[in-house]
Amino acid sequence: MDLSSLLPELLKGFTHFTIGNAVMISAALVLIYLAVFKEIEPVLLLPIGFGCLLANIPLSGMTAVEGMMGVLYDAGIKTELFPLLIFVGVGAMIDFSPLLAQPRMVLLGAAGQFGIFGTLILAVLLGFPLNQAASIGVIGAIDGPTSIFVATKLAPELLAPIAVAAYSYMSLIPIIQPPIMRLLTTKKERLIRMEYAPKPISKTTLIFFPIVLTIVVGLLVPEATPLISMLMLGNLLKMSGVVDRLSKAAENEIINIATLFLGLAIGATMNAAAFLNFDTGKIMILGLFAFVLDTVAGLLFGKLMCAVTGGKINPLIGAAGISAFPMAGRIAAKMAQEEDPDNFILMHAMGANTAGQLGSVIAGGILLSVVSKMLGI
Amino acid sequence: MDLSSLLPELLKGFTHFTIGNAVMISAALVLIYLAVFKEIEPVLLLPIGFGCLLANIPLSGMTAVEGMMGVLYDAGIKTELFPLLIFVGVGAMIDFSPLLAQPRMVLLGAAGQFGIFGTLILAVLLGFPLNQAASIGVIGAIDGPTSIFVATKLAPELLAPIAVAAYSYMSLIPIIQPPIMRLLTTKKERLIRMEYAPKPISKTTLIFFPIVLTIVVGLLVPEATPLISMLMLGNLLKMSGVVDRLSKAAENEIINIATLFLGLAIGATMNAAAFLNFDTGKIMILGLFAFVLDTVAGLLFGKLMCAVTGGKINPLIGAAGISAFPMAGRIAAKMAQEEDPDNFILMHAMGANTAGQLGSVIAGGILLSVVSKMLGI
Amino acid sequence: MDLSSLLPELLKGFTHFTIGNAVMISAALVLIYLAVFKEIEPVLLLPIGFGCLLANIPLSGMTAVEGMMGVLYDAGIKTELFPLLIFVGVGAMIDFSPLLAQPRMVLLGAAGQFGIFGTLILAVLLGFPLNQAASIGVIGAIDGPTSIFVATKLAPELLAPIAVAAYSYMSLIPIIQPPIMRLLTTKKERLIRMEYAPKPISKTTLIFFPIVLTIVVGLLVPEATPLISMLMLGNLLKMSGVVDRLSKAAENEIINIATLFLGLAIGATMNAAAFLNFDTGKIMILGLFAFVLDTVAGLLFGKLMCAVTGGKINPLIGAAGISAFPMAGRIAAKMAQEEDPDNFILMHAMGANTAGQLGSVIAGGILLSVVSKMLGI
Amino acid sequence: MTDLILSLEITALGMGLVFGAILLLWLMMVLLTTLTADKSPAPTSPEPDSVSETGFKAQAATLAVAIALAEQGQSTAHPLPEPPTAIVSAWQLGMRTSQRAQKGNFRSR
Amino acid sequence: MTDLILSLEITALGMGLVFGAILLLWLMMVLLTTLTADKSPAPTSPEPDSVSETGFKAQAATLAVAIALAEQGQSTAHPLPEPPTAIVSAWQLGMRTSQRAQKGNFRSR
Amino acid sequence: MTDLILSLEITALGMGLVFGAILLLWLMMVLLTTLTADKSPAPTSPEPDSVSETGFKAQAATLAVAIALAEQGQSTAHPLPEPPTAIVSAWQLGMRTSQRAQKGNFRSR
Ligand code: NA
Ligand code: NA
Ligand code: NA
């Protein structure tokens, strides 16, 4: 054995380490810092950050097909199992009664999807091919699992930056939204109080809702079926009240394990060689644009509803229609209370927020359908 | 882009929707209704019903090989992992001490399997080939995981109707059994009180039992090894008292997740095109017949034991020997108490019921062995 | 049907049963006995024993590629997922503050790895090829997941005896270590009291430690990255304090399920035909030798540190540097207290013990790296 | 260029379809809540007066407190009342049954 | 026709084997309970009198109440006493050990 | 023979590398604890005196009791205080929010 021939072997970790790896590890540290010290979506950013760190340690073999991250990726991302399982858990945590009590709020869930298409156009203008542009647009759904689901189908090569953008910006909503809200609404609008005297929602309604919604959306937009059905399955498990075991499993074991593995596997795609390029930068900027556009569209539609109803709708709840449940709903309610501590619009905002969740999934499915058809995929 | 060419695309969900799909979705709604509002085996019928609903939404892609239901099917049904994992959990919930305290009760667990073979004969008469007839017969084991296990080996094409029949009828036991019990036993027989002065069962016995049973049954009926060993593994984890972590995982996380996924995957095989045919109807009727026959055989054997022991055995406990743990045991005890509120035969019925669980697995293994040999599979 | 031709079919379980099977089932019963009645590492020895039992029931089909044990093996051992997931859970249970408070203790974690290399040399002398000898040597890491991880890479054909040796001896530490400790240390040495006035460890330090360690070890020994990173991931989840959901999932659901399945799958490789041979016997003896050598090296290094520091280090804590967290640390503290009930060296022993855990993973990675390079694997 | 036109078409079509689907959902929700409404009249509620007195504002205040608490991270894991599940616990019943029997009977002799 | 004969043969053979196997199980159970019975005599039980007084009927009544409760869905998730597991908690001990040390020592300085 | 020489070389190299890596770890740990040490001085601790009085021995005794208890298997599953997680409970907050609203409002009418 020749010691001099072993030296390169001993130092291989360092000799294969690139500046790109250093940059990506710094990015990983930023994500972990945001998660741990700023508590920004830690359940997602911490695993993503750690996965990114692992992907940039040379020669560890973890991101190879037979490495741990490769195994997790094939098991849960390529099959789309992880985002769908997360949706089962999210569904078990959502209550649709504020929305069912004020069905017109559902319109705000449609308005909050303009960002998807606006971003798509901009991405095309920046030179992205249509399949990639559409995937980037879905960052504007402001819904992690939907973004991952659509990107896996249309442009898996962009999965990492899209997922990172979706989740990072989603966690920055408390910073992104308020200035836009102040800019686009007048103080008078923000002071609008809203009646809340909804009709009672029966348990039967809450049980039928997820079932009927699955069938209706499934027939209207078959491509949205996987996402909407798993969200509704979780909701049905919870609302039925007869399968406590399963609904607890959905909102605990299943979502926790799927979230951890999904985060690691997504993060592990952030290898410097694949991730560090001009496109990633563009996607990050486009993603931010998508969030702003969604908020703007939601607020403008809120103002329209305010005008149409003769000033009975506080436009702030429009900003809650973007999905990002339940942060967006909370922020809208908070903004109203900042102007007038006695003004409580939380229930309306939550109605708009759950509508936004539904709208995001539907819009994702429609985009998938239309683009697949056009590209003949 | 030609809008007129997009119209079929937009309506594809509806244009591909068949009457069969509508029928199956109705069936799914019935299953969900039974689960949620009648609380009939909701942990199974709710996922099965929801899976059936998904399988009949056209073009959702969920039941394709790479769709979520296809992935779950390949991961847990084709490999038989889900029924076996469920058995680990069931084993951790069964206590064999009533049976060990009165070993002769084990005979009732043999008598309760006549339905398997009676149904097999009838299925052959109705024109089913032998492998399918045997699989249909195993519905008479009145044990979900065993039915799925055997059907997967002998006739996977019939898995959906067999699983649905097994679980639906199992949940209808409180409706199916009592009339037969009243018909076949006299009031005098139902009034028989049973001594309960069993010998004490030591912790050592309870620990050795699952181990020895695995070896004995494994050597006698190798085909029954997977089922019996997983049932006994769960029981050993529980009874040993030293692996609390694992036994809790078995009776919670593992069984809950396996049950949810198994239900969805089974339900998702109930696509109209594959499910809606004359055979399915015949299987449903044969399955009901199997349940009735099992109960009759158990009761008649109970009467025989009553006669042989000079009236010391209440024939009602014969009906508890069919498996379907613990419902069947409870119903036998209830029937006795209806005649005489002071007559407590629950411990005897539970002994017969756990014996039925063992008998079902053994009979399933024997059938698998004999039929495989005859058909040269 | 010819009944006489069926007889062999009926008795096949017995006719295929070999003396080897009987021997292995006896071994399985011993493992289960140790687990249940002696409470020696029951979470591992019970599943391993039960898996061994199953592997020696002829014709059950459970250890075939498509059988349950085969499926678990392919899913979690071949992919190395189970040992790595176990490490995530272990990491969530380890606290590195005693080590961080007394960093020099880390040296004992290096000394406790001599057994690996001593055993490797001996294994080569006994005629094992280099890849097998190295795998056998890693039993001396005294760390189950590391042993399994390295053996899977270098000599999967020896996985069963290596895993069994590693876990059995690990659980025999309270029996193996004390006599050696008494033999190699004087009463005066065992009476040495140690100051414990460590500098305070901040929460920030505890959060940074797993991240920095992953990067440093990852760059130094890329082959150790999977093991060390999963250990550190679990630790980070716990120490960050912001992802309670995930850290609870890691130390409960994930580790419990992975442990149960790993034990079963490892045990199921102990088929008589493959396991019962001269090599297995040699491996068992070599494994015991590795444990003794590790303890001796640790103690001698402890004595060296004692001499160097002018008698300020109690050599007993050297024996805690072997890994086997937290048993080894506890035993060292116990031995000191046996001599002098007022002598508390637990914190020092725990520092050495966690250092041993790190040292074992690093040594495993180094061995993997060096041997792979030499053999051109 | 073609892609830009395509993307504009997608936007028009997509947002149209989103609004169309959402409008259908609205209709569905109205129908559903009407058809499945509780037949039992409101007065069955045990404490209707106190609620109507304290009114909506008080409830919203309660809500705000709940949010504040949650934001401080003082939430418990399962704040919702757990619905009873009869059949689900069938297995557990069987277990408990025999366990009780064993304790009260087999062992005590 | 052949299938019918075959199925009859399967029935005869199958039920025979089932009964045969079950009889062997019976034998096994008798042997097992005899061989592994507690050597310690009954009086070691802490409360034998009260039990024999109240008798079997009372226990059965207790059981019936338990069942009734369970059927009403008022069951708690883990009614059984959890057996102590010494080795299982070894990891937790390690955790706790160092945590205590940290709290009582590192931080307090 | 070649293998023996190889294995001796592996041992020398391997243990050298293990010690080398561990020495680097030592350095890393010293740097890390120095750089990330709490800037806040010790007196901020709420109970510094009582601790220094009772001293290390008392703490160690506490520890020993904890170990003894754990060895007797009387450990509870989660002895450590659970750190608050604000964002994690965001979903739960949403759930609770609407649930409260539903109870306090929709149903009570
Ligand atoms: Na959205
Ligand atoms: Na049966
Ligand atoms: Na070691």
Side-chain angles (χ1 to χ4, degrees):
Chain A
M1 191 173 62
D2 184 8
L3 257 178
S4 70
S5 83
L6 267 175
L7 202 67
E9 173 71 12
L10 294 181
L11 295 176
K12 66 185 174 185
F14 295 94
T15 50
H16 286 80
F17 191 75
T18 64
I19 295 182
N21 290 137
V23 172
M24 289 313 295
I25 285 185
S26 308
L29 294 179
V30 169
L31 291 176
I32 295 174
Y33 171 81
L34 291 175
V36 175
F37 295 98
K38 297 294 167 193
E39 296 198 20
I40 295 176
E41 293 274 339
V43 285
L44 274 156
L45 289 194
L46 184 53
I48 289 179
F50 203 84
C52 171
L53 198 157
L54 293 181
N56 289 284
I57 294 177
L59 307 176
S60 77
M62 292 190 83
T63 52
V65 174
E66 74 282 1
M68 183 180 180
M69 295 301 134
V71 170
L72 290 181
Y73 189 92
D74 285 349
I77 309 284
K78 206 181 256 180
T79 65
E80 286 155 0
L81 208 56
F82 291 158
L84 292 174
L85 291 179
I86 289 174
F87 253 26
V88 178
V90 171
M93 294 171 186
I94 290 186
D95 184 342
F96 287 104
S97 23
L99 178 60
L100 284 164
Q102 328 155 73
R104 63 180 175 177
M105 289 293 159
V106 82
L107 287 177
L108 291 166
Q113 315 308 327
F114 265 112
I116 296 178
F117 299 96
T119 310
L120 185 155
I121 295 171
L122 205 66
V124 166
L125 286 177
L126 287 178
F128 285 99
L130 206 53
N131 65 324
Q132 292 192 352
S135 301
I136 296 166
V138 183
I139 300 175
I142 313 202
D143 182 75
T146 302
S147 306
I148 292 172
F149 187 83
V150 174
T152 310
K153 297 256 192 217
L154 289 182
E157 67 279 12
L158 295 186
L159 184 55
I162 287 173
V164 173
Y167 280 112
S168 325
Y169 293 140
M170 219 157 87
S171 50
L172 292 176
I173 277 183
I175 297 162
I176 296 175
Q177 282 203 326
I180 306 174
M181 290 161 120
R182 272 187 219 99
L183 198 74
L184 288 185
T185 56
T186 63
K187 188 181 172 71
K188 201 179 142 201
E189 282 171 338
R190 293 197 293 275
L191 282 172
I192 292 173
R193 296 196 178 190
M194 294 176 74
E195 289 279 324
Y196 191 66
K199 55 178 176 304
I201 300 302
S202 71
K203 189 168 183 272
T204 317
T205 310
L206 289 173
I207 293 171
F208 271 87
F209 179 69
I211 302 169
V212 176
L213 191 81
T214 303
I215 299 173
V216 170
V217 174
L219 290 178
L220 286 174
V221 196
E223 282 81 2
T225 310
L227 286 167
I228 206 82
S229 68
M230 288 303 110
L231 196 69
M232 292 301 121
L233 171 64
N235 196 245
L236 179 59
L237 293 179
K238 184 77 178 190
M239 290 305 156
S240 72
V242 294
V243 287
D244 206 28
R245 272 179 166 268
L246 302 185
S247 86
K248 284 225 156 50
E251 49 178 319
N252 290 298
E253 288 93 68
I254 292 177
I255 197 175
N256 290 345
I257 295 174
T259 302
L260 178 61
F261 289 175
L262 175 126
L264 286 173
I266 293 283
T269 61
M270 295 169 71
N271 180 272
F275 192 87
L276 268 190
N277 53 52
F278 206 57
D279 277 359
T280 301
K282 285 196 274 186
I283 290 170
M284 289 294 160
I285 292 166
L286 285 169
L288 185 60
F289 175 78
F291 268 59
V292 172
L293 197 57
D294 261 352
T295 307
V296 169
L299 284 170
L300 292 181
F301 197 81
K303 285 167 85 97
L304 175 67
M305 281 182 83
C306 178
V308 168
T309 58
K312 287 192 176 163
I313 299 273
N314 187 322
L316 286 176
I317 64 168
I322 62 164
S323 185
F325 176 85
M327 283 96 71
R330 238 158 55 197
I331 285 161
K334 226 174 180 175
M335 288 292 291
Q337 259 183 311
E338 269 177 26
E339 296 292 342
D340 169 6
D342 276 352
N343 191 9
F344 298 99
I345 61 166
L346 184 65
M347 294 314 297
H348 305 84
M350 277 301 170
N353 205 177
T354 47
Q357 178 71 62
L358 297 180
S360 295
V361 173
I362 291 170
I366 286 172
L367 193 67
L368 200 54
S369 165
V370 172
V371 173
S372 302
K373 177 76 183 173
M374 283 183 176
L375 298 177
I377 295 177
Chain B
M1 191 173 58
D2 184 7
L3 257 178
S4 70
S5 84
L6 267 176
L7 202 68
E9 173 70 13
L10 294 182
L11 295 176
K12 65 184 175 185
F14 294 94
T15 50
H16 284 79
F17 192 74
T18 65
I19 295 181
N21 290 137
V23 172
M24 289 313 294
I25 284 185
S26 308
L29 294 179
V30 169
L31 291 177
I32 294 174
Y33 172 82
L34 292 175
V36 175
F37 295 97
K38 297 295 166 192
E39 295 198 21
I40 295 176
E41 293 275 338
V43 285
L44 275 156
L45 288 194
L46 185 53
I48 290 179
F50 203 84
C52 171
L53 197 157
L54 294 181
N56 289 285
I57 292 177
L59 308 175
S60 77
M62 290 190 85
T63 53
V65 174
E66 73 284 0
M68 183 180 180
M69 296 301 135
V71 169
L72 290 181
Y73 188 92
D74 285 350
I77 309 284
K78 207 181 254 180
T79 64
E80 286 156 0
L81 208 56
F82 291 158
L84 293 173
L85 291 179
I86 289 173
F87 254 26
V88 178
V90 171
M93 293 170 185
I94 290 186
D95 185 343
F96 287 103
S97 20
L99 178 60
L100 284 163
Q102 329 155 73
R104 61 180 176 180
M105 289 293 160
V106 82
L107 287 177
L108 291 167
Q113 316 308 326
F114 265 112
I116 296 178
F117 299 96
T119 310
L120 184 156
I121 295 170
L122 205 67
V124 166
L125 286 176
L126 286 178
F128 285 99
L130 205 53
N131 65 323
Q132 293 191 351
S135 301
I136 296 166
V138 183
I139 300 175
I142 315 205
D143 182 75
T146 302
S147 306
I148 292 172
F149 187 83
V150 175
T152 310
K153 297 257 192 215
L154 289 182
E157 67 278 12
L158 295 186
L159 184 55
I162 287 173
V164 173
Y167 280 112
S168 326
Y169 293 140
M170 218 157 86
S171 50
L172 292 176
I173 277 182
I175 297 161
I176 297 175
Q177 283 204 325
I180 307 174
M181 289 160 122
R182 273 188 217 97
L183 199 74
L184 287 184
T185 56
T186 65
K187 187 182 173 72
K188 201 179 141 202
E189 282 171 337
R190 292 197 294 274
L191 282 172
I192 292 173
R193 296 194 180 193
M194 295 177 76
E195 289 280 325
Y196 191 65
K199 55 177 177 307
I201 300 301
S202 70
K203 190 168 182 274
T204 317
T205 311
L206 289 174
I207 292 171
F208 271 87
F209 179 69
I211 302 170
V212 178
L213 191 82
T214 303
I215 299 174
V216 171
V217 174
L219 290 178
L220 286 174
V221 195
E223 283 80 3
T225 309
L227 286 167
I228 205 80
S229 68
M230 288 303 109
L231 196 68
M232 292 300 121
L233 172 63
N235 197 245
L236 179 60
L237 293 179
K238 183 78 177 189
M239 290 304 156
S240 71
V242 294
V243 286
D244 205 29
R245 271 179 166 270
L246 302 186
S247 85
K248 285 224 156 53
E251 50 178 318
N252 291 298
E253 289 93 68
I254 293 177
I255 196 174
N256 290 345
I257 295 174
T259 302
L260 177 62
F261 289 174
L262 176 127
L264 286 173
I266 292 284
T269 62
M270 295 170 72
N271 180 273
F275 194 87
L276 268 190
N277 53 53
F278 206 56
D279 277 1
T280 301
K282 285 195 275 186
I283 289 169
M284 289 293 161
I285 292 166
L286 284 169
L288 185 60
F289 175 78
F291 268 60
V292 172
L293 197 56
D294 261 352
T295 306
V296 169
L299 284 169
L300 292 180
F301 197 82
K303 285 166 84 95
L304 175 67
M305 280 181 83
C306 178
V308 167
T309 57
K312 286 193 175 161
I313 299 271
N314 187 322
L316 286 176
I317 64 168
I322 62 163
S323 185
F325 176 85
M327 283 95 71
R330 240 161 51 197
I331 284 161
K334 227 175 181 173
M335 288 292 291
Q337 259 183 312
E338 268 177 26
E339 296 292 343
D340 170 6
D342 275 350
N343 191 8
F344 299 98
I345 62 166
L346 184 64
M347 295 313 298
H348 305 83
M350 277 300 168
N353 205 179
T354 46
Q357 178 71 60
L358 298 180
S360 295
V361 173
I362 291 170
I366 286 172
L367 192 67
L368 199 55
S369 164
V370 173
V371 173
S372 302
K373 178 75 183 175
M374 283 182 176
L375 299 177
I377 295 175
Chain C
M1 191 173 57
D2 185 7
L3 257 177
S4 70
S5 84
L6 267 176
L7 202 67
E9 173 71 11
L10 294 181
L11 295 175
K12 66 184 174 185
F14 294 94
T15 50
H16 285 78
F17 192 75
T18 64
I19 296 181
N21 291 136
V23 171
M24 289 312 296
I25 285 184
S26 309
L29 294 179
V30 169
L31 290 177
I32 294 173
Y33 172 82
L34 291 175
V36 175
F37 295 98
K38 298 294 167 191
E39 295 198 21
I40 295 177
E41 292 275 337
V43 285
L44 275 157
L45 288 194
L46 184 53
I48 290 178
F50 203 84
C52 172
L53 197 157
L54 294 180
N56 289 285
I57 294 176
L59 307 175
S60 77
M62 290 189 84
T63 52
V65 174
E66 72 283 1
M68 181 179 180
M69 295 300 135
V71 169
L72 290 181
Y73 188 92
D74 285 350
I77 309 285
K78 207 180 254 180
T79 64
E80 285 155 359
L81 208 57
F82 291 158
L84 292 174
L85 291 178
I86 289 174
F87 253 27
V88 177
V90 171
M93 294 169 185
I94 290 186
D95 184 342
F96 287 103
S97 22
L99 178 60
L100 285 163
Q102 327 157 75
R104 63 181 174 178
M105 289 294 158
V106 83
L107 287 177
L108 291 167
Q113 317 307 329
F114 265 113
I116 296 178
F117 300 95
T119 310
L120 184 156
I121 295 172
L122 205 65
V124 165
L125 286 177
L126 287 177
F128 286 100
L130 205 53
N131 65 324
Q132 293 192 351
S135 302
I136 296 167
V138 182
I139 301 174
I142 313 203
D143 182 76
T146 302
S147 305
I148 292 172
F149 186 83
V150 174
T152 310
K153 298 258 192 214
L154 289 183
E157 67 278 12
L158 295 185
L159 185 55
I162 287 174
V164 173
Y167 279 112
S168 326
Y169 293 140
M170 218 157 86
S171 50
L172 292 176
I173 277 182
I175 298 162
I176 297 175
Q177 283 204 324
I180 306 174
M181 290 161 121
R182 272 187 217 99
L183 198 75
L184 288 183
T185 56
T186 64
K187 188 181 171 71
K188 202 180 140 200
E189 283 171 338
R190 293 198 293 274
L191 282 171
I192 293 174
R193 297 194 179 189
M194 295 177 75
E195 291 279 324
Y196 190 65
K199 55 177 176 304
I201 300 301
S202 70
K203 189 167 182 273
T204 318
T205 310
L206 289 173
I207 292 172
F208 271 87
F209 179 68
I211 301 169
V212 176
L213 191 82
T214 303
I215 299 173
V216 170
V217 173
L219 290 178
L220 286 174
V221 195
E223 282 81 2
T225 309
L227 285 167
I228 206 82
S229 67
M230 288 303 110
L231 195 68
M232 292 300 121
L233 171 64
N235 196 245
L236 178 60
L237 293 179
K238 183 76 176 191
M239 290 305 156
S240 72
V242 294
V243 286
D244 206 29
R245 273 179 165 268
L246 302 185
S247 86
K248 285 222 157 52
E251 51 178 318
N252 291 299
E253 289 94 67
I254 292 178
I255 196 174
N256 291 346
I257 295 174
T259 302
L260 177 62
F261 289 175
L262 176 127
L264 286 173
I266 292 283
T269 62
M270 294 170 72
N271 180 272
F275 193 87
L276 269 189
N277 54 52
F278 206 58
D279 276 0
T280 301
K282 285 195 275 185
I283 289 170
M284 289 293 161
I285 292 166
L286 284 169
L288 186 60
F289 174 78
F291 268 60
V292 172
L293 198 56
D294 261 353
T295 307
V296 169
L299 285 169
L300 292 180
F301 197 82
K303 285 166 85 95
L304 176 66
M305 281 181 83
C306 178
V308 167
T309 58
K312 287 192 174 161
I313 299 272
N314 187 323
L316 286 176
I317 63 168
I322 62 163
S323 185
F325 177 85
M327 284 95 72
R330 241 158 53 196
I331 284 162
K334 229 176 183 173
M335 288 292 291
Q337 259 183 312
E338 269 177 25
E339 296 292 342
D340 171 4
D342 276 352
N343 191 8
F344 300 99
I345 61 166
L346 183 64
M347 294 316 296
H348 305 84
M350 277 300 170
N353 205 179
T354 47
Q357 178 71 60
L358 298 180
S360 295
V361 173
I362 292 169
I366 287 173
L367 192 67
L368 199 55
S369 163
V370 172
V371 173
S372 302
K373 177 76 183 173
M374 283 182 175
L375 298 178
I377 295 175
Chain D
M1 190 53 207
T2 328
D3 267 6
L4 180 59
I5 292 168
L6 265 182
S7 68
L8 288 170
E9 283 178 349
I10 291 174
T11 301
L13 184 64
M15 278 314 291
L17 290 174
V18 169
F19 267 97
I22 289 285
L23 283 170
L24 283 174
L25 276 197
W26 187 359
L27 182 67
M28 181 276 269
M29 284 162 65
V30 171
L31 283 175
L32 184 67
T33 47
T34 312
L35 291 174
T36 60
D38 264 343
K39 273 90 201 174
S40 56
T44 46
S45 170
E47 34 179 6
D49 294 320
S50 64
V51 168
S52 57
E53 273 169 35
T54 50
F56 169 62
K57 204 177 284 183
Q59 294 159 34
T62 319
L63 214 67
V65 170
I67 292 168
L69 284 176
E71 278 173 350
Q72 289 169 33
Q74 300 178 349
S75 61
T76 53
H78 290 294
L80 306 172
E82 301 174 5
T85 47
I87 304 286
V88 176
S89 55
W91 282 325
Q92 285 173 356
L93 168 68
M95 191 69 195
R96 198 178 320 134
T97 300
S98 41
Q99 203 83 0
R100 281 195 83 101
Q102 190 189 330
K103 270 181 217 148
N105 213 335
F106 301 171
R107 294 289 175 75
S108 62
R109 289 172 52 91
Chain E
M1 188 56 205
T2 328
D3 267 4
L4 180 59
I5 292 170
L6 265 183
S7 69
L8 289 169
E9 285 179 348
I10 292 173
T11 301
L13 185 65
M15 277 314 288
L17 290 174
V18 169
F19 267 98
I22 289 285
L23 283 171
L24 283 174
L25 276 197
W26 187 1
L27 182 68
M28 182 274 271
M29 284 162 65
V30 171
L31 282 175
L32 184 67
T33 47
T34 312
L35 291 174
T36 61
D38 265 342
K39 273 90 201 174
S40 55
T44 48
S45 170
E47 33 180 7
D49 293 322
S50 62
V51 169
S52 56
E53 276 171 29
T54 49
F56 170 63
K57 203 177 286 180
Q59 294 158 32
T62 318
L63 214 65
V65 170
I67 293 167
L69 283 176
E71 279 173 350
Q72 289 168 33
Q74 300 179 347
S75 62
T76 52
H78 290 293
L80 306 171
E82 302 173 5
T85 46
I87 304 284
V88 176
S89 54
W91 282 326
Q92 285 173 355
L93 168 68
M95 191 66 194
R96 200 177 318 136
T97 300
S98 41
Q99 204 83 2
R100 281 196 83 100
Q102 190 189 327
K103 272 181 214 149
N105 214 333
F106 302 170
R107 294 289 174 77
S108 60
R109 288 174 51 92
Chain F
M1 190 53 207
T2 329
D3 266 7
L4 180 60
I5 293 170
L6 264 181
S7 68
L8 289 170
E9 284 179 348
I10 291 173
T11 300
L13 185 63
M15 278 312 291
L17 291 174
V18 168
F19 268 98
I22 289 285
L23 283 171
L24 283 174
L25 275 198
W26 187 1
L27 182 67
M28 181 274 270
M29 284 163 66
V30 170
L31 282 175
L32 183 66
T33 47
T34 311
L35 291 175
T36 60
D38 266 344
K39 271 91 200 174
S40 55
T44 46
S45 170
E47 34 180 4
D49 293 321
S50 63
V51 169
S52 56
E53 274 170 31
T54 49
F56 170 63
K57 204 177 287 181
Q59 295 158 32
T62 318
L63 214 67
V65 170
I67 293 168
L69 285 175
E71 278 172 352
Q72 289 168 34
Q74 301 178 346
S75 62
T76 52
H78 289 294
L80 305 172
E82 301 175 6
T85 47
I87 303 286
V88 176
S89 55
W91 283 325
Q92 286 174 354
L93 167 69
M95 191 66 194
R96 199 177 319 133
T97 300
S98 41
Q99 203 82 2
R100 281 197 84 100
Q102 190 189 329
K103 273 184 213 146
N105 215 334
F106 302 171
R107 293 290 174 75
S108 60
R109 288 173 51 94

